[in-house]
Amino acid sequence: ALAYRGIRMVIAASFSQTYKRNAFNNGLIVFECPDLVDALLVQYAAAIEADRLTIATDAEATVHFDRSVVAWKGATFAFAPLGVVPQRLIIAGGTEAQIKARLAGADS
């Protein structure tokens, strides 16, 4: 559903292992960055207190996978680097696409 809506990455304070594995299997980038989430909670506290379910902003963040940091509003927030298996799944577009590519390569 997220991919259908054009969402290619989700950053959260935490995920269950099942959610992360399912996301990677579907080619979706997910990673945990609790310090960024804390900063967002401070920045948008008024909207959160008003029980707004969606907060639209014009803020931009840059993810530097080579350094495992997110840059937002002049600050950087570290996250754990993605492992080799999740990287391969994401690059392939998910497990199904990875298997199709392997099968296509086996036929040639």
Side-chain angles (χ1 to χ4, degrees):
L2 294 173
Y4 178 78
R5 298 294 295 171
I7 297 170
R8 300 184 59 199
M9 178 172 46
V10 177
I11 305 169
S14 67
F15 293 102
S16 72
Q17 287 299 96
T18 303
Y19 185 92
K20 284 197 292 190
R21 184 60 191 200
N22 188 48
F24 295 138
N25 284 343
N26 286 291
L28 179 67
I29 302 168
V30 296
F31 61 88
E32 298 167 343
C33 192
D35 292 339
L36 172 62
V37 173
D38 290 344
L40 290 166
L41 289 171
V42 169
Q43 176 72 33
Y44 300 105
I48 294 166
E49 289 173 10
D51 288 331
R52 290 178 47 199
L53 298 176
T54 302
I55 303 167
T57 72
D58 61 355
E60 291 186 19
T62 303
V63 179
H64 299 278
F65 286 102
D66 58 333
R67 294 182 291 153
S68 299
V69 296
V70 177
W72 179 68
K73 291 199 172 235
T76 56
F77 304 90
F79 61 90
L82 298 178
V84 173
V85 172
Q87 288 180 42
R88 288 182 181 159
L89 287 169
I90 291 164
I91 290 167
T95 303
E96 185 177 342
Q98 188 178 53
I99 292 170
K100 284 180 181 178
R102 283 185 184 167
L103 291 173
D107 291 341
S108 34

